[in-house]
Amino acid sequence: MFRYVVRRLLQAIPLLLIISIVIFALLQGSGDPLATLGGRRTVRPEERERLARILGLDKPIYIQYVYWLVGNDWVKIDVDNDGIPETAGTRKGILRGDFGTSLVTRGEPAIDIILERLPNTLILMIPAEIFILMTALAIGIYSAMRQYSWIDQAVTAGSFIGYSMPIFFIALASMYLFAVNFRKWGLPYLPTVGMFDPKVGKTFSQVVIHLVLPIFSMSVVSISGWSRYVRSQMLEVTSQDYIRTAYAKGLSERKVLVRHALKNAAIPMVTLLGIEIPFLLGGAVVTETIFGWPGMGRLFFDHLTRSDTPVVMGILMLISFAVVICQLITDIVYGWLDPRIRYD
Amino acid sequence: MRKNLFRIAVFVAVVGLVLSACGPKVVPATETAAPGSPEPTETAAPGSPEPTEKKIITIAWTQEPNSLNRSYSSMWYMSTLIQIYSCSPWQFDENNEPYPYMVTELPTVSDDGLVVTMHLRDDLVWSDGTPLTSEDFVFTYDMITNPANSVDSVYPYDKFTVSVPDAQTVVMNFTEVFTPWMATLWSGTIMPKHILQPVFDSEGTIDTAEWNLAPTVGCGPFNFTTWESGSYMQFDRNENYWGTLAKLDSVIFQFVPDDAAQTAACLAGDADVCCWPPYEDIPAFRDAGLTVATEPSGYTEGWFFNLREMASPGIRDLNVRKAIAMALDRESNTDLRMNVVKVTETFWDALPAYVDPSITPWPYDLEAARQLLEQSGWIDRDGDGIREDANGNKLTITQGNTNKTERQNYQALAQQQLLAVGIDLQTFSYESNLFFDSFSAGGPAATGTLDIMEWSDVPAFPDPDSSYWLCDQLPSDENPYGLNYFVCDETLDALFKEQVNTVDPAVRAEIFHQITKYMHDNVYYLGIWDDGDVWIVNPRLTGYKFSGVTPFFNIMEWDVIP
């Protein structure tokens, strides 16, 4: 197992390098970060060129990539455009932990911007994911065990409706119902936007109450999808001979479900979860935008539309790294779930 | 048994947490009492003054600024917010008229127009008590023009030099006459020398100065206190303010990127002020008892016509452009905008003194439009409803804009209306950063891919200057960021160059009469609607006025009804 893990980690290095090259190349088509910098103020060509030189945007793409990777403190830059490189570069490159500085918030390190938002994303996404999984498991298992009952039919119909609804519709509808109209009707109401009320401060109860609507919005679609998947996996597993044998041995339904059925049904679900978990870091763009949640999803979208390569690359590389690690963890969990799987 | 007890304990804890967080917000004891009961008051320690509720307002802000140093940001959302914590020599009132703010009187201009002199008040101080003098202006000028600082633009600070005969006098010496100086200079850009000079001395640049993102020392009615990225900014009253102390204790700008969510926040009372809401939400605001305040800001939504060599033959035909102007029922569009806007004609409609009074709006006249097209030989020869020229080339016009909903709605309307006269309007929508991309990056506006481009824009309001139609602003490989996506017309170019160097306001106005008439008669630009600022205000807020140039000019007078 140790050799397997080491081998996978070594394989991840060239993989992440290739991913970074592909993403960097694709980002060049996202627009010119200097195009709208001056707003409606007249910006002379020499000013744009000066900014491009200072920000390193005048270099060919492959040079920009090399500077992003290993830094430019080993070369000198011609800042004053006299043809003589005189100013030492200050970047160390991502291999030395320097994610670069934002082109939008000039001077602010990209990693600082990302780390400022990352905890907010985890606060939103982890409880959401736990809620989704627990609810989907409960609904899916119950639905499978009571196949074709009226509850199963109702759950099925609800799942199809929930899965079909666009998330922005659910988000806005729930906001208008529980925040705007409930308040108008004199009922207990929820807040509309934000992670907390700035007038009250970032307290635990404030964050919890502000989590309700975003988590509800994300959950409707996800629970609908996951519960159907759990149901189908459970139905497949419970029709196996060993389940029949377990019942025949006199085990209770609960023991059969938990010890035998669920563990085997969980294997493909672990695959899906392993793919989904790293993307928790990316946040939820639509939900965060509608509810004004200061997370990574909104950060990514805001900086992508402004062609802020350092921040966008930082976010994407973080997610790529998380995908690689999570895939490794997923494979290890497989081995625990299914004793037939061995790694060497 | 233990497992069950544990589960029950966890369940009770979770339910308890949720219930403690739910429910209406805590209302201070000083607010509404039950009828007939004595007014409840908060208990205070004996002998201490009555504690009062803080006066805090929340403004929903759709875009988060990228910097709090004016020189590093061109965003409207930043240049407006800066009025809270920064100061300018002059401001503009609710009629968009300038008045002295940091200066004792509006600056004087020499007869030749080359020297502008400002006399500062002698009571100006930064929020930390340090006197604010002419040295801060010199420092600001030096930082903006220093190539070591990657400011957004040096314009127009590279047009003059600064001298300071004494601590209260600032003299700007222009190399050539520059008439738009009042609209383009010193607006929220003053930097504290005592804070930033040490940064520049040690790092050789102020690019990485903490002050750019956390300007804890300012000269406005409020002080910056907090910026929680993606969430909000808070500004508290500046107790050292040299002017009238603000009535409010704090102003919070909460970032709400989604229009519908902003509307919900205003309707629910989570935000006291919203700006630029979708027009279709205005009836809902009125029904909820909120005030809808509009203020001309100089912005006009309009169609810019591309007459460069790559444009289609159709759009370069003057009769076609006139026909387009007469085939669009622009009044029907204002109905769609809840009659909050009105139809505009020229790029300068918000500055009527500069618009030729003889200009009459293009009438909505389909028959006249058809006649003009036929005069130019555009006839529907194959009966498909689209006109062709003598060689069979279709009268197809491409039109593009950014993917804002109301613009896309207007595209659909315009398409129908132009089809009625046989013009095939092909429409495109782009993300804003791609639409305005540079020439070298293949931006559709810059490269002339589109015959007609639509967006909302403004001259140097309240000054009429604009460089959009200057020939040296045509984008090219040598000038990839040029702003003239439209036409190089020598007559127009000469007029624009003449006006910016004209000192006499009456003569300058006359030049603009020629410009507006020339552009109107040649249909170089077609106004669609005036895109002024729309503010939604909660009735608990009083004393507010808005300016189209410096919206928060009187924020120190804002108050809340307790």
Side-chain angles (χ1 to χ4, degrees):
Chain A
M1 173 67 84
F2 176 75
R3 279 197 307 215
Y4 173 76
V5 171
V6 169
R7 194 168 68 240
R8 286 288 298 270
L9 287 173
L10 288 173
Q11 285 170 354
I13 296 171
L15 177 63
L16 286 171
L17 193 66
I18 293 170
I19 290 171
S20 69
I21 292 170
V22 170
I23 294 174
F24 197 90
L26 287 173
L27 279 177
Q28 303 315 305
S30 68
D32 181 354
L34 299 182
T36 53
L37 267 186
R40 60 182 178 81
R41 282 182 279 173
T42 304
V43 182
R44 290 163 179 73
E46 52 268 29
E47 288 185 294
R48 295 278 185 199
E49 285 161 17
R50 177 182 62 88
L51 270 176
R53 274 199 309 279
I54 293 173
L55 299 174
L57 300 174
D58 60 327
K59 297 278 183 285
I61 290 175
Y62 67 92
I63 297 286
Q64 290 185 43
Y65 174 76
V66 168
Y67 286 171
W68 174 82
L69 193 66
V70 298
N72 68 352
D73 54 353
W74 44 280
V75 294
K76 286 201 159 80
I77 310 164
D78 177 20
V79 173
D80 52 15
N81 200 30
D82 62 356
I84 302 167
E86 76 294 317
T87 309
T90 54
R91 294 163 60 180
K92 292 186 165 47
I94 200 165
L95 291 181
R96 286 185 279 170
D98 178 8
F99 281 60
T101 54
S102 170
L103 300 178
V104 171
T105 336
R106 283 199 294 289
E108 194 175 9
I111 190 63
D112 288 355
I113 297 172
I114 294 169
L115 290 179
E116 224 174 344
R117 301 282 192 105
L118 187 57
N120 301 335
T121 291
L122 297 176
I123 288 171
L124 174 65
M125 301 304 288
I126 291 177
E129 195 69 17
I130 292 171
F131 178 74
I132 289 165
L133 284 173
M134 285 175 58
T135 312
L137 273 172
I139 293 174
I141 292 170
Y142 190 87
S143 207
M145 302 318 293
R146 305 284 180 270
Q147 195 183 11
Y148 303 132
S149 66
W150 71 268
I151 289 182
D152 180 36
Q153 305 285 9
V155 165
T156 302
S159 298
F160 286 142
I161 294 170
Y163 199 72
S164 313
M165 284 216 259
I167 192 168
F168 65 84
F169 173 76
I170 299 169
L172 288 171
S174 58
M175 182 190 289
Y176 272 84
L177 176 62
F178 297 112
V180 180
N181 289 327
F182 267 34
R183 185 176 184 148
K184 201 161 70 172
W185 299 332
L187 298 171
Y189 55 88
L190 291 166
T192 49
V193 293
M195 189 176 165
F196 56 91
D197 184 350
K199 292 196 276 287
V200 178
K202 196 175 181 177
T203 63
F204 179 77
S205 58
Q206 274 291 308
V207 174
V208 166
I209 196 75
H210 282 77
L211 273 173
V212 174
L213 285 180
I215 288 180
F216 172 76
S217 305
M218 287 194 292
S219 301
V220 170
V221 177
S222 298
I223 288 172
S224 304
W226 270 100
S227 62
R228 301 304 300 163
Y229 192 69
V230 168
R231 180 183 180 275
S232 72
Q233 288 301 309
M234 286 298 292
L235 285 174
E236 193 179 314
V237 164
T238 50
S239 65
Q240 300 293 313
D241 289 341
Y242 60 86
I243 297 294
R244 213 171 290 128
T245 307
Y247 278 120
K249 281 164 62 178
L251 292 177
S252 68
E253 187 178 35
R254 198 174 147 279
K255 277 201 175 127
V256 171
L257 268 177
V258 174
R259 265 206 210 150
H260 298 283
L262 191 56
K263 207 170 172 188
N264 287 305
I267 295 174
M269 286 192 278
V270 164
T271 308
L272 284 181
L273 206 58
I275 296 170
E276 209 169 281
I277 282 178
F279 290 102
L280 297 185
L281 294 178
V285 176
V286 175
T287 307
E288 289 175 19
T289 300
I290 289 174
F291 289 104
W293 191 272
M296 293 275 279
R298 233 177 84 198
L299 179 73
F300 176 79
F301 185 72
D302 286 347
H303 285 254
L304 179 66
T305 52
R306 297 193 213 180
S307 312
D308 189 355
T309 304
V311 172
V312 174
M313 282 295 292
I315 294 172
L316 291 174
M317 291 314 299
L318 207 61
I319 295 174
S320 303
F321 183 76
V323 168
V324 167
I325 298 298
C326 281
Q327 286 301 295
L328 178 59
I329 294 171
T330 303
D331 290 342
I332 294 170
V333 169
Y334 272 159
W336 173 70
L337 282 173
D338 188 347
R340 294 170 295 179
I341 297 172
R342 282 286 175 266
Y343 301 106
D344 51 350
Chain B
M1 178 67 175
R2 268 198 290 177
K3 266 194 200 166
N4 286 338
L5 280 175
F6 176 71
R7 284 177 194 151
I8 290 167
V10 167
F11 176 76
V12 167
V14 168
V15 167
L17 272 172
V18 170
L19 286 176
S20 69
C22 277
K25 292 184 181 150
V26 172
V27 174
T30 49
E31 287 208 75
T32 50
S37 61
E39 197 70 33
T41 51
E42 288 189 38
T43 46
S48 63
E50 284 272 331
T52 53
E53 189 183 342
K54 283 202 159 200
K55 294 181 182 177
I56 305 175
I57 65 164
T58 303
I59 301 176
W61 220 228
T62 310
Q63 288 183 22
E64 184 174 6
N66 58 330
S67 176
L68 290 178
N69 183 330
R70 184 71 177 87
S71 300
Y72 288 91
S73 178
S74 310
M75 298 173 68
W76 180 91
Y77 286 92
M78 186 277 169
S79 63
T80 301
L81 180 153
I82 202 170
Q83 294 151 36
I84 304 286
Y85 63 94
S86 187
C87 50
S88 312
W90 51 86
Q91 297 240 54
F92 296 85
D93 63 19
E94 67 271 30
N95 299 314
N96 297 321
E97 293 293 332
Y99 67 92
Y101 186 43
M102 291 170 73
V103 291
T104 55
E105 56 178 5
L106 287 179
T108 54
V109 183
S110 62
D111 290 339
D112 60 5
L114 295 177
V115 181
V116 178
T117 306
M118 300 192 285
H119 296 285
L120 304 176
R121 291 167 59 143
D122 58 9
D123 60 347
L124 299 174
V125 288
W126 293 99
S127 56
D128 60 358
T130 306
L132 195 166
T133 68
S134 57
E135 286 300 318
D136 293 295
F137 280 77
V138 173
F139 175 77
T140 300
Y141 172 85
D142 288 342
M143 289 300 101
I144 291 173
T145 54
N146 193 311
N149 298 320
S150 61
V151 298
D152 269 11
S153 175
V154 179
Y155 175 89
Y157 294 84
D158 54 351
K159 289 186 169 295
F160 63 94
T161 57
V162 166
S163 56
V164 289
D166 57 60
Q168 261 70 52
T169 307
V170 180
V171 181
M172 295 178 281
N173 304 286
F174 288 85
T175 48
E176 56 179 10
V177 173
F178 181 70
T179 42
W181 58 269
M182 185 169 271
T184 53
L185 286 175
W186 304 119
S187 177
T189 52
I190 316 297
M191 302 185 214
K193 179 178 179 178
H194 65 292
I195 301 291
L196 290 174
Q197 182 77 68
V199 175
F200 184 79
D201 291 341
S202 73
E203 302 199 21
T205 178
I206 59 168
D207 285 357
T208 52
E210 268 186 45
W211 189 88
N212 294 341
L213 301 173
T216 46
V217 172
C219 53
F222 291 87
N223 270 341
F224 167 87
T225 51
T226 310
W227 182 357
E228 181 116 354
S229 173
S231 193
Y232 76 103
M233 276 185 198
Q234 180 163 334
F235 300 86
D236 293 342
R237 180 174 50 236
N238 176 8
E239 303 294 349
N240 271 339
Y241 182 51
W242 45 270
T244 311
L245 274 191
K247 296 187 168 83
L248 296 172
D249 292 293
S250 303
V251 179
I252 290 170
F253 287 83
Q254 185 156 20
F255 308 126
V256 186
D258 183 74
D259 283 342
Q262 184 193 219
T263 297
C266 254
L267 289 174
D270 287 343
D272 299 295
V273 180
C274 294
C275 70
W276 296 347
Y279 290 109
E280 54 268 24
D281 292 342
I282 286 175
F285 291 126
R286 288 183 174 140
D287 289 345
L290 300 174
T291 304
V292 178
T294 57
E295 180 67 35
S297 62
Y299 276 84
T300 303
E301 181 85 9
W303 281 12
F304 296 82
F305 291 89
N306 172 24
L307 307 183
R308 292 179 282 166
E309 66 277 3
M310 72 285 281
S312 69
I315 203 65
R316 284 185 285 151
D317 183 335
L318 177 57
N319 276 355
V320 170
R321 298 197 300 277
K322 286 180 179 176
I324 288 173
M326 288 196 279
L328 291 175
D329 181 8
R330 290 175 285 162
E331 288 292 342
S332 67
N333 180 59
T334 63
D335 293 338
L336 292 174
R337 275 145 189 72
M338 310 303 151
N339 295 311
V340 172
V341 302
K342 60 183 195 309
V343 174
T344 54
E345 202 65 24
T346 75
F347 193 60
W348 290 269
D349 273 23
L351 296 164
Y354 295 97
V355 178
D356 188 323
S358 71
I359 289 173
T360 53
W362 293 106
Y364 175 53
D365 188 340
L366 295 180
E367 203 40 56
R370 291 184 186 112
Q371 282 173 14
L372 281 168
L373 292 170
E374 268 148 36
Q375 267 175 36
S376 280
W378 296 98
I379 297 167
D380 182 11
R381 293 174 169 81
D382 56 9
D384 66 349
I386 309 295
R387 295 171 184 267
E388 301 91 19
D389 63 11
N391 298 323
N393 298 312
K394 295 274 183 205
L395 182 50
T396 299
I397 304 292
T398 52
Q399 189 264 11
N401 54 25
T402 62
N403 54 7
K404 212 169 159 187
T405 309
E406 59 202 27
R407 290 198 178 116
Q408 290 175 313
N409 292 342
Y410 188 68
Q411 276 181 323
L413 194 65
Q415 210 170 34
Q416 281 177 8
Q417 291 176 351
L418 292 183
L419 192 58
V421 296
I423 298 175
D424 174 29
L425 188 73
Q426 291 185 352
T427 60
F428 302 88
S429 291
Y430 304 83
E431 281 291 331
S432 179
N433 62 320
L434 296 175
F435 184 67
F436 292 112
D437 222 340
S438 66
F439 182 87
S440 48
T447 53
T449 307
L450 304 162
D451 295 326
I452 301 174
M453 295 149 283
E454 178 186 336
W455 69 80
S456 177
D457 213 324
V458 62
F461 188 79
D463 189 276
D465 185 42
S466 175
S467 43
Y468 273 165
W469 288 273
L470 292 173
C471 287
D472 63 10
Q473 283 294 318
L474 281 175
S476 62
D477 287 323
E478 292 74 36
N479 182 20
Y481 297 105
L483 295 171
N484 184 351
Y485 306 150
F486 323 116
V487 62
C488 173
D489 184 313
E490 299 293 341
T491 304
L492 201 56
D493 184 73
L495 286 170
F496 273 110
K497 283 178 175 150
E498 189 187 351
Q499 61 81 20
V500 79
N501 292 321
T502 301
V503 180
D504 186 329
V507 174
R508 193 168 179 233
E510 181 50 43
I511 296 172
F512 266 100
H513 287 183
Q514 294 176 52
I515 287 173
T516 50
K517 181 80 172 132
Y518 187 84
M519 287 183 66
H520 184 263
D521 291 348
N522 287 285
V523 200
Y524 282 169
Y525 175 87
L526 182 68
I528 308 293
W529 70 81
D530 76 286
D531 195 19
D533 296 340
V534 180
W535 299 91
I536 308 300
V537 185
N538 191 295
R540 80 179 191 113
L541 191 60
T542 65
Y544 61 88
K545 293 177 192 171
F546 294 107
S547 159
V549 187
T550 48
F552 295 141
F553 75 101
N554 86 325
I555 196 159
M556 61 289 278
E557 304 293 338
W558 293 21
D559 203 350
V560 291
I561 299 171

